[in-house]
Amino acid sequence: MRELVFGLLGLLACVAVDARAQEARGPVPREIETWAMKIQEDYPVSALTNSEEGTVAMELEIDEAGSVRNCEVTESSRSFALDEAACRGMMQYAQYEPAVDSEGNPQAATTVQAIRYVLPDLAMRHRHPVPIDEAIWRPTAFDASFDRALRRSGADFASFQLVIDEDGKPVGCGINHSTGNAALDRRGCEDLLRLAKFEPAALLDGTPIPGSYWVSHAAQEAP
């Protein structure tokens, strides 16, 4: 059974008021067991097939009705699929008692939430995608001009996550660690999607399945 553990990293601090007024408070999760189960059931397939687990920390904007209106990952699980699923699940399912001011009036506020994804045993029973001729396509994707642009952006390295289909073809690309330059991020993804080759992920019986593969690159020292 999949396990997904929620931990409140913190709520807005309560504001002390006089004895005649109601205490202000931040958002409070409502019926968390119900929506936690829904998010649990949406554990990403690519994360399962690639044995990805981890904790996603998020900052949430909660409106006056208690709905999540915006979600930003503040600490990555180091899995693009899990980070994306965590925010998507919070936006779709989570409900809160809204924050209130000292008069008891609902108000918009921010809070933080963490989701820990833990793999079921079955997720370990497969083979990951295996790169083919990586020594050829990697230097082509991350050539000298890429390194120059990476150094100019002030980033030490970049990390991409490729989604690999059942035929071993890269069909999607996410940014795990940005170069700091949107155009360079886009170039990195486009070149990897065009050049990279893989043997697909597979179950132990050899059945091909979708998977994902991390590609990280550190800028080389200038000559």
Side-chain angles (χ1 to χ4, degrees):
M1 178 179 294
R2 303 175 198 146
E3 178 188 2
L4 182 142
V5 181
F6 285 74
L8 287 177
L9 299 183
L11 295 173
L12 297 180
C14 291
V15 178
V17 294
D18 64 49
R20 293 169 298 175
Q22 176 176 321
E23 285 192 350
R25 62 160 174 79
V28 178
R30 181 171 62 215
E31 298 180 353
I32 189 171
E33 295 84 359
T34 300
W35 51 264
M37 181 61 69
K38 292 179 180 178
I39 295 177
Q40 176 177 324
E41 292 170 352
D42 285 345
Y43 204 119
V45 173
S46 63
L48 289 172
T49 58
N50 287 281
S51 301
E52 295 169 356
E53 58 184 2
T55 299
V56 185
M58 298 159 286
E59 182 176 80
L60 309 173
E61 294 181 10
I62 313 298
D63 67 16
E64 295 89 339
S67 296
V68 180
R69 292 305 179 196
N70 190 52
C71 173
E72 180 178 349
V73 173
T74 57
E75 184 176 342
S76 174
S77 64
R78 298 188 63 79
S79 164
F80 175 77
L82 294 181
D83 291 353
E84 184 180 61
C87 267
R88 183 175 63 247
M90 294 300 296
M91 295 281 291
Q92 184 173 359
Y93 300 119
Q95 286 293 318
Y96 285 75
E97 294 292 344
V100 295
D101 62 20
S102 60
E103 301 296 324
N105 300 310
Q107 59 180 9
T110 60
T111 188
V112 289
Q113 180 82 58
I115 298 177
R116 181 163 64 92
Y117 288 95
V118 179
L119 286 163
D121 290 341
L122 288 176
M124 308 299 291
R125 302 175 185 174
H126 74 282
R127 184 196 70 196
H128 296 289
V130 178
I132 300 172
D133 295 331
E134 187 174 11
I136 296 174
W137 54 258
R138 177 184 280 273
T140 304
F142 304 122
D143 60 11
S145 65
F146 185 95
D147 276 358
R148 285 194 297 271
L150 186 57
R151 288 193 296 269
R152 284 197 299 269
S153 74
D156 294 325
F157 74 101
S159 180
F160 304 84
Q161 187 171 10
L162 296 175
V163 177
I164 314 300
D165 70 12
E166 298 91 332
D167 296 321
K169 178 178 175 58
V171 293
C173 179
I175 310 298
N176 285 314
H177 190 282
S178 174
T179 64
N181 180 316
L184 191 59
D185 286 346
R186 187 164 52 250
R187 171 187 163 181
C189 270
E190 289 173 351
D191 285 346
L192 288 171
L193 289 171
R194 176 172 56 87
L195 297 168
K197 300 177 181 179
F198 295 85
E199 293 179 6
L203 301 177
L204 293 186
D205 66 2
T207 303
I209 57 175
S212 65
Y213 188 85
W214 285 45
V215 182
S216 297
H217 176 73
Q220 303 301 306
E221 293 294 332

